[in-house]
Amino acid sequence: MSAVGPPGLDVVDRLISLTKAGDRSDLMQRLAHTRRRLLDPAVRVLVVGEFKQGKSQLVNALVDAPVCPVDDDIATAVPTEVSYSKTPTTTLVHSADDDPGLLDGPDAGHGTVARSTQRVQVPIEDLAGYICEAGNPANRRGLLCAEVGIPRQILADGLVLVDTTGVGGLSSAHTTRTLAALPTADAVLLVSDASQEYSEPEIDFLRQATKLCPNVACVLTKIDLYPQWRRIAELDRVHLTGAKVDADLLPVSSALRLHAMHTGNQRLHEDSGFSALVRYLLGAVTQSDRLSRRSVAHDVFTVTDHLALSLRAELQALGDPETNRTMLAELEAAKSRAERLQRDTSRWQQTLSDGMADLNADIEFDLRDRLRQVIRNGESALEEADPAAIWEQFTEWLDQQLAAATSDNFVWANQRVHWVAQQVAEHFAEDGGELLPELRLGDAPSTLDEVPGLAELTTDKPTLGTKLLTGMRGSYGGVLMFGMLTTLAGMALINPISIAAGLVLGTKTLREDKKSRLKRQQAEAQMLLRRQVDDVIFHVGKECRDRLRQVQRLLRDHFSAVATELQRSLTESLQAAQKAANTEGSAREQRIREISAELEQIEALRRDVRALLSAAGSTPCGTGS
């Protein structure tokens, strides 16, 4: 095994050479993807939480560097990714379609385009002006993220810390953006300070996060500021147990950690609680490395199985010609099964097509059902109150409900996608297991960011003059009517009775006008509510369909490639066995020696992969010959 490069890279490179010699370009694509995965050992840890909970300071304390700006009046507006680099670097990432003029820093215009993104390097001291709410309100510069590289040992093995935005909290549209990134994360840290126990949005987020990323931990920050932090920690554990969330709770103090790092005080470092957090992160790196090795091992075993199949068939035909007829019949049957897998009428393609069609319909129904309930609850609330008086609170409530509904819909869609993929994979079980490709429902920003905000309610509050005119209009009829009646009794048109009647009818008219105005405002508010929900259905529904189509194409291409690999291997095995039947004399012996040497190379690769798994403490998978 080579000491250069990540573990397993030498095995993959040797297998690539062997595959090239065998002229198997179809298997080369798989190995090229395996090699890229090995060379990018990043372990992404998302640091998420409500606004002003100490996320940025936590990242700074972990890496012992002020990479994320922290202040009482600073709020993070752009996610910041902190990774290892031999020299400190700061890079802003935005869409290549955006106007570079938005990046008006000193290095603007020197970025490079990579795929659909553009990267611009800026001085690290200018970073706050780009990623904080004060310098980049509502992310008007259109940045996707900021990338910071620093030379720190904790990051050297591929750990990447992602400081997410906290503006609006977990119950806002930012939730769906974070949830969309969770399937690509190796671990998640939910940060909440020790000032109070977990809120309902935090518990809801934890439930959703554990369904998308199995490696979730809770970090209780600022324990140095709140003497009652142990009681808060106990209450948080009770909430986690009640919500059936299996996650560690790690109390920490970022201030103590930074002070301990600067003074070299080991006892203070232990009191900060960061030892447990660092162990957790290193465990996430180890676990990711173990999974990476298992994935590499699966690809190596699969490719070597394909390469060895034709060699063994030819070797058997050369060594025992009497059994050649039986072996050819078995290979013909296996080839027929592979051809059925590849044909458009195969069961797996039908399962995929039907499954995704059903999933599209179910996801759309689920989204509409959740949002219909939001409409019902919103209309009920508006019928019982003055919309103008509660509009600000109602808007906040609606944002939370829409974010919760779309987040739950996203989580359910992600689970159903994996279920469909498993159903498709079962069709390949007869001819060998196959790992599923990485499935993601896209990593685009939340569609809720594209939805226009709830429109302002038209205020129809009458002025004093309007009230006087309305009252006089109602009282005029009363004075005239009762005045005419009292003139029959010899009284004047204007008398106490007609005046009293005018006051009563005027007051009644004012009340009815007030009720009428309230009804109109309630109707307008309910119309704005339905319009807002309709916008959400339009945008979110479109993105859900787009993402599901991406997943369908990914699965289709993946399993089509698997079927093609299998068919080609069996076809070549059949041809090799047929050719071997016509080989005689010294050529037969020479060919047997060549095949034996190639099989020995393949077996050496498989031994190295088993050793790689054993070093990581993993159980070998797919090691059948």
Side-chain angles (χ1 to χ4, degrees), residues 431-453:
D431 300 287
E434 177 62 30
L435 282 184
L436 293 174
E438 182 182 3
L439 300 178
R440 300 189 305 176
L441 287 185
D443 54 1
S446 167
T447 51
L448 290 186
D449 294 338
E450 303 175 7
V451 179

mmCIF file of all heavy atoms in Angstrom, residues 431-453:
data_model
loop_
_atom_site.group_PDB
_atom_site.id
_atom_site.type_symbol
_atom_site.label_atom_id
_atom_site.label_comp_id
_atom_site.label_asym_id
_atom_site.label_seq_id
_atom_site.Cartn_x
_atom_site.Cartn_y
_atom_site.Cartn_z
ATOM 1 N N ASP A 431 -28.615 -10.892 -9.185
ATOM 2 C CA ASP A 431 -27.329 -10.876 -9.884
ATOM 3 C C ASP A 431 -26.255 -10.124 -9.121
ATOM 4 O O ASP A 431 -25.286 -9.652 -9.693
ATOM 5 C CB ASP A 431 -27.516 -10.238 -11.264
ATOM 6 C CG ASP A 431 -28.507 -11.018 -12.100
ATOM 7 O OD1 ASP A 431 -28.160 -12.110 -12.550
ATOM 8 O OD2 ASP A 431 -29.641 -10.523 -12.263
ATOM 9 N N GLY A 432 -26.454 -9.953 -7.830
ATOM 10 C CA GLY A 432 -25.448 -9.261 -7.025
ATOM 11 C C GLY A 432 -25.986 -7.980 -6.462
ATOM 12 O O GLY A 432 -26.681 -7.233 -7.138
ATOM 13 N N GLY A 433 -25.681 -7.705 -5.188
ATOM 14 C CA GLY A 433 -26.174 -6.486 -4.553
ATOM 15 C C GLY A 433 -25.534 -5.262 -5.162
ATOM 16 O O GLY A 433 -24.470 -5.311 -5.766
ATOM 17 N N GLU A 434 -26.191 -4.130 -4.995
ATOM 18 C CA GLU A 434 -25.677 -2.877 -5.553
ATOM 19 C C GLU A 434 -25.963 -1.752 -4.582
ATOM 20 O O GLU A 434 -27.105 -1.569 -4.143
ATOM 21 C CB GLU A 434 -26.348 -2.584 -6.896
ATOM 22 C CG GLU A 434 -25.932 -1.263 -7.510
ATOM 23 C CD GLU A 434 -24.454 -1.187 -7.820
ATOM 24 O OE1 GLU A 434 -23.842 -2.242 -8.100
ATOM 25 O OE2 GLU A 434 -23.894 -0.083 -7.784
ATOM 26 N N LEU A 435 -24.908 -1.021 -4.183
ATOM 27 C CA LEU A 435 -25.100 0.130 -3.316
ATOM 28 C C LEU A 435 -25.879 1.204 -4.050
ATOM 29 O O LEU A 435 -25.701 1.408 -5.250
ATOM 30 C CB LEU A 435 -23.753 0.703 -2.872
ATOM 31 C CG LEU A 435 -23.001 -0.035 -1.753
ATOM 32 C CD1 LEU A 435 -21.754 0.750 -1.402
ATOM 33 C CD2 LEU A 435 -23.866 -0.234 -0.529
ATOM 34 N N LEU A 436 -26.737 1.886 -3.302
ATOM 35 C CA LEU A 436 -27.504 2.972 -3.908
ATOM 36 C C LEU A 436 -26.608 4.187 -4.111
ATOM 37 O O LEU A 436 -25.704 4.433 -3.304
ATOM 38 C CB LEU A 436 -28.676 3.342 -3.014
ATOM 39 C CG LEU A 436 -29.764 2.283 -2.879
ATOM 40 C CD1 LEU A 436 -30.785 2.722 -1.841
ATOM 41 C CD2 LEU A 436 -30.455 2.052 -4.200
ATOM 42 N N PRO A 437 -26.848 4.958 -5.166
ATOM 43 C CA PRO A 437 -26.087 6.202 -5.330
ATOM 44 C C PRO A 437 -26.506 7.210 -4.280
ATOM 45 O O PRO A 437 -27.529 7.048 -3.607
ATOM 46 C CB PRO A 437 -26.483 6.667 -6.737
ATOM 47 C CG PRO A 437 -27.849 6.100 -6.936
ATOM 48 C CD PRO A 437 -27.855 4.777 -6.216
ATOM 49 N N GLU A 438 -25.720 8.267 -4.107
ATOM 50 C CA GLU A 438 -26.075 9.330 -3.172
ATOM 51 C C GLU A 438 -27.310 10.060 -3.693
ATOM 52 O O GLU A 438 -27.314 10.594 -4.802
ATOM 53 C CB GLU A 438 -24.919 10.321 -3.023
ATOM 54 C CG GLU A 438 -25.205 11.421 -2.018
ATOM 55 C CD GLU A 438 -24.057 12.408 -1.922
ATOM 56 O OE1 GLU A 438 -23.086 12.264 -2.676
ATOM 57 O OE2 GLU A 438 -24.142 13.335 -1.097
ATOM 58 N N LEU A 439 -28.372 10.026 -2.887
ATOM 59 C CA LEU A 439 -29.636 10.624 -3.301
ATOM 60 C C LEU A 439 -29.836 11.939 -2.585
ATOM 61 O O LEU A 439 -29.778 12.004 -1.355
ATOM 62 C CB LEU A 439 -30.807 9.679 -2.980
ATOM 63 C CG LEU A 439 -30.758 8.308 -3.656
ATOM 64 C CD1 LEU A 439 -31.935 7.467 -3.216
ATOM 65 C CD2 LEU A 439 -30.756 8.469 -5.162
ATOM 66 N N ARG A 440 -30.100 12.993 -3.352
ATOM 67 C CA ARG A 440 -30.345 14.309 -2.770
ATOM 68 C C ARG A 440 -31.505 14.955 -3.509
ATOM 69 O O ARG A 440 -31.601 14.860 -4.730
ATOM 70 C CB ARG A 440 -29.122 15.218 -2.881
ATOM 71 C CG ARG A 440 -27.896 14.696 -2.180
ATOM 72 C CD ARG A 440 -26.811 15.736 -2.138
ATOM 73 N NE ARG A 440 -26.476 16.242 -3.452
ATOM 74 C CZ ARG A 440 -25.604 17.214 -3.674
ATOM 75 N NH1 ARG A 440 -25.011 17.780 -2.658
ATOM 76 N NH2 ARG A 440 -25.347 17.632 -4.890
ATOM 77 N N LEU A 441 -32.368 15.615 -2.750
ATOM 78 C CA LEU A 441 -33.458 16.362 -3.376
ATOM 79 C C LEU A 441 -32.972 17.762 -3.730
ATOM 80 O O LEU A 441 -33.629 18.755 -3.448
ATOM 81 C CB LEU A 441 -34.664 16.435 -2.427
ATOM 82 C CG LEU A 441 -35.438 15.140 -2.268
ATOM 83 C CD1 LEU A 441 -36.665 15.365 -1.408
ATOM 84 C CD2 LEU A 441 -35.853 14.585 -3.611
ATOM 85 N N GLY A 442 -31.780 17.846 -4.298
ATOM 86 C CA GLY A 442 -31.261 19.158 -4.689
ATOM 87 C C GLY A 442 -30.684 19.905 -3.497
ATOM 88 O O GLY A 442 -30.973 19.611 -2.349
ATOM 89 N N ASP A 443 -29.851 20.914 -3.768
ATOM 90 C CA ASP A 443 -29.284 21.745 -2.708
ATOM 91 C C ASP A 443 -29.479 23.215 -3.031
ATOM 92 O O ASP A 443 -28.708 24.065 -2.629
ATOM 93 C CB ASP A 443 -27.798 21.441 -2.509
ATOM 94 C CG ASP A 443 -27.004 21.548 -3.801
ATOM 95 O OD1 ASP A 443 -27.624 21.870 -4.837
ATOM 96 O OD2 ASP A 443 -25.788 21.332 -3.767
ATOM 97 N N ALA A 444 -30.556 23.509 -3.775
ATOM 98 C CA ALA A 444 -30.856 24.903 -4.118
ATOM 99 C C ALA A 444 -31.396 25.638 -2.911
ATOM 100 O O ALA A 444 -31.870 25.032 -1.956
ATOM 101 C CB ALA A 444 -31.878 24.927 -5.262
ATOM 102 N N PRO A 445 -31.334 26.968 -2.896
ATOM 103 C CA PRO A 445 -31.922 27.724 -1.804
ATOM 104 C C PRO A 445 -33.407 27.435 -1.669
ATOM 105 O O PRO A 445 -34.066 26.998 -2.609
ATOM 106 C CB PRO A 445 -31.682 29.183 -2.214
ATOM 107 C CG PRO A 445 -30.547 29.130 -3.167
ATOM 108 C CD PRO A 445 -30.681 27.830 -3.886
ATOM 109 N N SER A 446 -33.929 27.681 -0.485
ATOM 110 C CA SER A 446 -35.342 27.425 -0.227
ATOM 111 C C SER A 446 -36.228 28.195 -1.192
ATOM 112 O O SER A 446 -36.008 29.363 -1.472
ATOM 113 C CB SER A 446 -35.679 27.833 1.210
ATOM 114 O OG SER A 446 -37.069 27.877 1.391
ATOM 115 N N THR A 447 -37.257 27.520 -1.701
ATOM 116 C CA THR A 447 -38.199 28.189 -2.586
ATOM 117 C C THR A 447 -38.999 29.243 -1.851
ATOM 118 O O THR A 447 -39.561 30.142 -2.469
ATOM 119 C CB THR A 447 -39.163 27.166 -3.199
ATOM 120 O OG1 THR A 447 -39.707 26.371 -2.144
ATOM 121 C CG2 THR A 447 -38.454 26.273 -4.181
ATOM 122 N N LEU A 448 -39.058 29.138 -0.520
ATOM 123 C CA LEU A 448 -39.791 30.159 0.229
ATOM 124 C C LEU A 448 -39.112 31.517 0.105
ATOM 125 O O LEU A 448 -39.757 32.549 0.270
ATOM 126 C CB LEU A 448 -39.896 29.764 1.704
ATOM 127 C CG LEU A 448 -40.814 28.575 2.011
ATOM 128 C CD1 LEU A 448 -40.925 28.388 3.511
ATOM 129 C CD2 LEU A 448 -42.178 28.755 1.406
ATOM 130 N N ASP A 449 -37.813 31.518 -0.205
ATOM 131 C CA ASP A 449 -37.131 32.789 -0.395
ATOM 132 C C ASP A 449 -37.608 33.496 -1.659
ATOM 133 O O ASP A 449 -37.468 34.710 -1.798
ATOM 134 C CB ASP A 449 -35.618 32.566 -0.479
ATOM 135 C CG ASP A 449 -35.048 32.071 0.836
ATOM 136 O OD1 ASP A 449 -35.709 32.295 1.870
ATOM 137 O OD2 ASP A 449 -33.980 31.456 0.828
ATOM 138 N N GLU A 450 -38.141 32.710 -2.616
ATOM 139 C CA GLU A 450 -38.614 33.292 -3.858
ATOM 140 C C GLU A 450 -40.065 33.743 -3.775
ATOM 141 O O GLU A 450 -40.537 34.450 -4.656
ATOM 142 C CB GLU A 450 -38.463 32.270 -4.988
ATOM 143 C CG GLU A 450 -37.043 31.767 -5.176
ATOM 144 C CD GLU A 450 -36.971 30.678 -6.222
ATOM 145 O OE1 GLU A 450 -37.997 30.428 -6.885
ATOM 146 O OE2 GLU A 450 -35.895 30.075 -6.376
ATOM 147 N N VAL A 451 -40.771 33.295 -2.763
ATOM 148 C CA VAL A 451 -42.185 33.643 -2.635
ATOM 149 C C VAL A 451 -42.313 35.061 -2.090
ATOM 150 O O VAL A 451 -41.695 35.391 -1.075
ATOM 151 C CB VAL A 451 -42.902 32.661 -1.690
ATOM 152 C CG1 VAL A 451 -44.370 33.049 -1.535
ATOM 153 C CG2 VAL A 451 -42.784 31.241 -2.226
ATOM 154 N N PRO A 452 -43.087 35.928 -2.739
ATOM 155 C CA PRO A 452 -43.288 37.275 -2.192
ATOM 156 C C PRO A 452 -43.892 37.201 -0.795
ATOM 157 O O PRO A 452 -44.682 36.301 -0.486
ATOM 158 C CB PRO A 452 -44.273 37.917 -3.187
ATOM 159 C CG PRO A 452 -44.151 37.113 -4.434
ATOM 160 C CD PRO A 452 -43.822 35.718 -4.007
ATOM 161 N N GLY A 453 -43.503 38.132 0.061
ATOM 162 C CA GLY A 453 -44.032 38.150 1.409
ATOM 163 C C GLY A 453 -45.524 38.463 1.429
ATOM 164 O O GLY A 453 -46.103 38.935 0.447
#
